Amino acid sequence: MPELPEVESVRAQLAPLLEGRRIERVAITDPRLTRPLAPDEVAVRLEGELIRAVDRRGKYLIVRFESGRALLIHLRMTGSLRHARAGGLPDDPYERAVVTLDDGSDVAYRDVRRFGTWLLLEPPEVGAYVDARVGLEPLGASFRPRDLAAGLAKRRAPVKAALLDQRTVAGVGNIYADEALWRARVHPLRPAASLTAEEVRAVHRGVRRALELGIARQGSTLTDYRLPDGSSGRMQTEFNVYGRAGEPCPRCGTPIEKIRVAGRGTWYCPRCQRPPQAASRSSSRPSRSSRQSSV
Ligand SMILES: [Zn+2]
């Protein structure tokens, strides 16, 4: 599932190709993409729009038009965008929409599992819609450790669950939450509110560094994620813990373990990331399930 580094990599590649271009034709072939609006209704409203900017907030790609409208694209599980010169799009059974620009080039939207969404918002709606769903940008200067501390305070949920909440930190998902907590040496099951100020600073730093490396590698391609030019990300070969159950921790050599947190597969180092001391009884359960899942 694309997270901040993947969506940011898509944005960075699309922006120079799209900005300043006018949309000539739009064909949306999957009614799920634009629900509750009909695909043709959205297509007609997009045709003629001049693209002013391609932005990102959290995992949302925001295509802003001169008219003040904006198209919010969420890739969800398996969505991706492909840009090609006129006639250059590959045949694709999972293609759900094609936007033709005034230079003849096409942007195709592909989505195997069809959870992605296209939402066209009118000018007054855009900021409020996004801000209600997405918290501070973790790579922005305005995101400070004390902002993260405020987002974790009073929450009894595991710190990993709190990080996955998009209102705590925008754009962090399953992969980069695990990588950030490993960098911070904080166990994913620690209650969010139990972190010390020093640990919060470490998580703040860990989130930033994990995301920055992800962006530098143009995201991670596990199955479906591709860049608009069709190439893959390179981050998947550099995970420290994610998906590495049984392999040695890069820091201490202890085998990485896998548990479930907030319903998601979660990888951590049992030595670097000490379990919640107050929950010593529950810490035996994760290690049992990790043995089962690593078989
Ligand atoms: Zn370790």
Side-chain angles (χ1 to χ4, degrees):
M1 178 168 174
E3 304 181 28
L4 188 154
E6 287 75 32
V7 181
E8 177 58 27
S9 301
V10 170
R11 187 208 67 75
Q13 219 176 67
L14 280 184
L17 299 166
L18 268 57
E19 288 171 3
R21 301 253 74 97
R22 197 174 288 280
I23 294 178
E24 293 217 322
R25 276 191 316 283
V26 178
I28 302 172
T29 49
D30 181 5
R32 276 178 65 157
L33 192 57
T34 55
R35 278 192 313 202
L37 297 180
D40 288 351
E41 190 181 335
V42 174
V44 163
R45 286 163 71 190
L46 285 171
E47 284 173 356
E49 290 280 5
L50 181 62
I51 299 169
R52 179 165 59 82
V54 182
D55 290 338
R56 180 194 57 74
R57 274 285 278 127
K59 301 176 194 172
Y60 285 102
L61 200 62
I62 307 179
V63 184
R64 297 187 192 277
F65 304 112
E66 281 299 333
S67 64
R69 284 173 171 168
L71 178 67
L72 258 65
I73 298 178
H74 202 303
L75 304 173
R76 299 291 170 192
M77 302 284 290
T78 56
S80 65
L81 290 155
R82 178 74 186 263
H83 179 269
R85 296 289 157 207
L89 283 179
D91 285 338
D92 183 356
Y94 300 110
E95 184 182 277
R96 309 297 180 196
V98 177
V99 173
T100 303
L101 303 172
D102 60 0
D103 62 354
S105 68
D106 292 313
V107 180
Y109 178 77
R110 127 187 263 268
D111 198 339
V112 175
R113 297 189 60 185
R114 303 168 64 214
F115 290 116
T117 53
W118 282 24
L119 180 63
L120 184 59
L121 293 175
E122 296 298 322
E125 305 170 325
V126 180
Y129 183 93
V130 174
D131 290 343
R133 289 162 178 80
V134 177
L136 288 172
E137 284 295 320
L139 299 179
S142 62
F143 178 66
R144 300 153 302 177
R146 72 172 110 146
D147 300 310
L148 180 60
L152 301 179
K154 297 178 190 160
R155 298 186 64 153
R156 298 177 64 193
V159 61
K160 172 160 177 187
L163 287 180
L164 292 178
D165 181 340
Q166 295 301 294
R167 291 163 299 182
T168 311
V169 193
V172 173
N174 207 37
I175 291 176
Y176 296 94
D178 283 2
E179 293 293 307
L181 290 171
W182 176 84
R183 287 169 180 267
R185 299 173 187 254
V186 170
H187 194 287
L189 280 174
R190 288 275 304 282
S194 75
L195 269 59
T196 65
E198 192 179 337
E199 287 172 328
V200 171
R201 278 196 298 276
V203 173
H204 178 269
R205 198 165 52 239
V207 164
R208 286 202 193 219
R209 291 193 177 159
L211 295 175
E212 283 165 354
L213 183 61
I215 292 172
R217 300 294 180 265
Q218 295 189 291
S220 45
T221 297
L222 299 174
T223 49
D224 296 282
Y225 167 73
R226 295 285 183 283
L227 289 147
D229 65 4
S231 64
S232 298
R234 303 185 309 281
M235 184 62 213
Q236 63 278 6
T237 61
E238 293 186 51
F239 293 145
N240 292 298
V241 286
Y242 182 86
R244 298 188 62 238
E247 294 177 45
C249 166
R251 198 158 45 205
C252 75
T254 303
I256 301 297
E257 293 192 358
K258 182 186 181 188
I259 55 175
R260 286 193 89 75
V261 180
R264 310 291 300 275
T266 296
W267 290 265
Y268 72 104
C269 171
R271 183 167 177 199
C272 294
Q273 296 163 267
R274 308 296 285 191
Q277 286 170 352
S280 55
R281 270 167 296 145
S282 66
S283 67
S284 64
R285 261 182 272 138
S287 66
R288 207 157 46 225
S289 68
S290 73
R291 275 199 294 277
Q292 289 167 348
S293 63
S294 61
V295 171

